[in-house]
Amino acid sequence: MDGCITFRLSKSGQTLFKQKSYQIRIKGNSIGHIDSEKNTISEQLPMGKYTIEVSENDFFIRKDIVLAVGQMQTVTINPSSTYAFTRGFLIGIATCAVGIIGYMAFENKLFPQLFPLLFVPLIPVLIFRKRHYCESFALTISKTQL
């Protein structure tokens, strides 16, 4: 009796990250790709140890799994937010914080004293760099008996 390995894209990956595509390999052999249109791949395999590799552009994750008799393992690809989205979110939060602090300082006539405080929300935007943002997805594996 064989086991089954199913690769699937998470629900958030299907709706939010439509442009991403993932290449799937088992023991170095490509079995296909997953994107928002084709979001599931199943493969019947005999029991044993397998090395699976999921890649997107230059980033890949390699995992070793052991498939037992009558077992189904589901590998879920969970995409993370993109660098541009995260940077835009930080800029938006910083802009709102600067606006609120500036308004409070202007209304209370404390603008000269609180002027340096306007730069504090900009610190995360200046520190956040692309090199701090390397992982583009994560894998979770669940096991069930057939």
Side-chain angles (χ1 to χ4, degrees):
M1 186 171 181
D2 293 340
C4 179
I5 297 178
T6 302
F7 296 90
R8 72 178 192 89
L9 191 59
S10 67
K11 296 290 183 190
S12 64
Q14 294 174 24
T15 56
L16 297 176
F17 305 104
K18 294 183 186 267
Q19 72 279 8
K20 292 189 175 192
S21 177
Y22 304 93
Q23 186 68 28
I24 310 294
R25 290 187 184 94
I26 297 178
K27 284 192 171 180
N29 299 324
S30 178
I31 64 165
H33 75 280
I34 291 180
D35 55 16
S36 64
E37 298 295 319
K38 183 181 177 189
N39 53 20
T40 304
I41 294 178
S42 291
E43 191 76 19
Q44 295 287 337
L45 298 169
M47 64 180 192
K49 184 177 181 179
Y50 294 95
T51 301
I52 61 169
E53 184 178 304
V54 180
S55 62
E56 182 212 9
N57 299 333
D58 295 335
F59 181 74
F60 70 93
I61 295 177
R62 183 177 295 146
K63 297 257 185 180
D64 291 327
I65 60 171
V66 177
L67 194 60
V69 175
Q71 186 180 53
M72 182 175 95
Q73 293 196 14
T74 304
V75 180
T76 305
I77 302 169
N78 302 305
S80 63
S81 61
T82 61
Y83 171 77
F85 175 78
T86 306
R87 184 149 178 99
F89 182 75
L90 280 175
I91 290 171
I93 294 293
T95 303
C96 290
V98 166
I100 291 170
I101 293 169
Y103 176 75
M104 289 171 45
F106 183 74
E107 284 295 315
N108 294 325
K109 296 179 180 41
L110 297 173
F111 195 72
Q113 293 90 351
L114 294 180
F115 184 72
L117 190 61
L118 290 174
F119 295 105
V120 173
L122 300 174
I123 292 172
V125 175
L126 298 174
I127 292 174
F128 184 70
R129 297 283 179 241
K130 190 163 184 128
R131 70 174 182 266
H132 299 127
Y133 205 82
C134 60
E135 294 183 5
S136 63
F137 64 93
L139 296 179
T140 56
I141 300 173
S142 61
K143 300 175 185 179
T144 57
Q145 291 294 338
L146 293 174

